[in-house]
Amino acid sequence: MKLDAALHRFEVHVSRSLKEYFSEMSLLLAQLSDQLSAAWDRQDGGGDLGTNAATKILPLHMLKLAVPLRSDEAPAKACRNVYKLRGEQLQLLMKEIVNIYPSINPPTLTAHQSNRVCNALALLQCVASHPETRSAFLAAHIPLFLYPFLHTVSKTRPFEYLRLTSLGVIGALVKTDEQEVINFLLTTEIIPLCLRIMESGSELSKTVATFILQKILLDDTGLAYICQTYERFSHVAMILGKMVLQLSKEPSARLLKHVVRCYLRLSDNPRAREALRQCLPDQLKDTTFAQVLKDDTTTKRWLAQLVKNLQEGQVTDPRGIPLPPQ
């Protein structure tokens, strides 16, 4: 069976056989569906789409239920309308995701396939971001089913669109600043996945991946996790350093802002602060980015605070050479 074959191919991404895992996920999705239905009933007094053939349709048509997903006028309405999705439809969305696994290795994903699965991901992003459905979304371990997409390395537009939309779902989770989100993500491979995209992705994908890392770092548990071992810290510091070097050649104020914030947060950890005194890129100490940041007072303030943090407590000899702390 094609679905079973696709699931088996990616069993490395979960802690048990994906066939068993998918069966468990179906039960959890049913629970998620109940929460969606209850939330919808509480807010709008009920309303059912029914179970006829017209409702068992493709994600593209499901997406229209939540339009305008990206509208500034009615984002709350968009997420509220997703409550109308029932268990069968949620499982259809997950099937849309799993069904393209065979197309990502080897990389044969077409633009049509990419658009189709990204429509499903756009709906899942609403479920992930809403407070009444987020816990069930995590309990179903749905983010793990997006990780195979983040593992892809093809530079073609369908794959870039797929990675970016998948990152958007994770970004919607971390944007909530909920502890349970960080706790969940730290049990997964999201940090190395983000670091790889930060190193080699498109500018937009790099920006979203760096934002995710930033939100993890801003959480005390996340900061402690990354600074717990030299290997974790050095991997993060190495990628951030490469990004600074690249940004000095191809500036992006938006991406630089997130990179600086990551460095500033790392400097809050004593061990990381000591290491950053040795490895902070020179481009963040001189005027390399002065022109890029001339109108960005926030990032300039963060950068100044970063430099100040690294200077405090540092002992120098009469020649101005830093000495190790006593």
Side-chain angles (χ1 to χ4, degrees), residues 201-226:
S202 68
E203 180 187 329
L204 194 51
S205 290
K206 286 181 178 181
T207 302
V208 180
T210 310
F211 170 77
I212 293 171
L213 178 65
Q214 171 188 318
K215 297 299 281 186
I216 292 174
L217 282 169
L218 288 174
D219 180 88
D220 289 342
T221 304
L223 177 63
Y225 176 87
I226 288 176

Side-chain angles (χ1 to χ4, degrees), residues 110-273:
T110 65
H112 173 73
Q113 288 175 309
S114 180
N115 287 335
R116 181 177 175 123
V117 72
C118 286
N119 285 331
L121 292 172
L123 283 177
L124 287 181
Q125 181 171 330
C126 283
V127 180
S129 63
H130 200 281
E132 296 197 45
T133 54
R134 188 183 310 118
S135 293
F137 183 86
L138 294 174
H141 289 194
I142 292 177
L144 296 183
F145 287 82
L146 279 54
Y147 286 11
F149 305 152
L150 300 181
H151 270 283
T152 61
V153 295
S154 173
K155 301 291 187 179
T156 63
R157 181 167 295 185
F159 277 97
E160 180 58 34
Y161 185 32
L162 179 62
R163 281 191 296 270
L164 181 59
T165 310
S166 300
L167 285 170
V169 177
I170 308 301
L173 282 172
V174 298
K175 193 175 182 179
T176 63
D177 295 321
E178 292 290 336
Q179 186 67 53
E180 67 170 335
V181 171
I182 303 300
N183 290 343
F184 171 83
L185 291 177
L186 291 180
T187 66
T188 73
E189 57 180 329
I190 191 60
I191 294 176
L193 285 174
C194 283
L195 290 174
R196 184 163 70 174
I197 294 172
M198 288 163 60
E199 182 177 15
S200 60
S202 68
E203 180 187 329
L204 194 51
S205 290
K206 286 181 178 181
T207 302
V208 180
T210 310
F211 170 77
I212 293 171
L213 178 65
Q214 171 188 318
K215 297 299 281 186
I216 292 174
L217 282 169
L218 288 174
D219 180 88
D220 289 342
T221 304
L223 177 63
Y225 176 87
I226 288 176
C227 297
Q228 185 176 17
T229 68
Y230 173 76
E231 289 74 17
R232 291 175 189 168
F233 168 80
S234 62
H235 192 189
V236 171
M238 179 186 68
I239 298 302
L240 289 175
K242 288 183 177 181
M243 293 179 73
V244 170
L245 181 60
Q246 185 64 31
L247 285 167
S248 68
K249 302 173 183 177
E250 300 175 13
S252 167
R254 177 174 54 182
L255 181 54
L256 179 60
K257 186 186 191 82
H258 293 302
V259 170
V260 170
R261 190 65 185 93
C262 286
Y263 270 121
L264 177 58
R265 179 54 173 162
L266 284 171
S267 72
D268 289 336
N269 180 276
R271 296 171 66 190
R273 183 166 60 247

Side-chain angles (χ1 to χ4, degrees), residues 95-104 109 113 117 149 162:
K95 187 176 180 180
E96 289 291 332
I97 291 172
V98 174
N99 275 348
I100 70 159
Y101 281 1
S103 299
I104 64 179
L109 186 69
Q113 288 175 309
V117 72
F149 305 152
L162 179 62

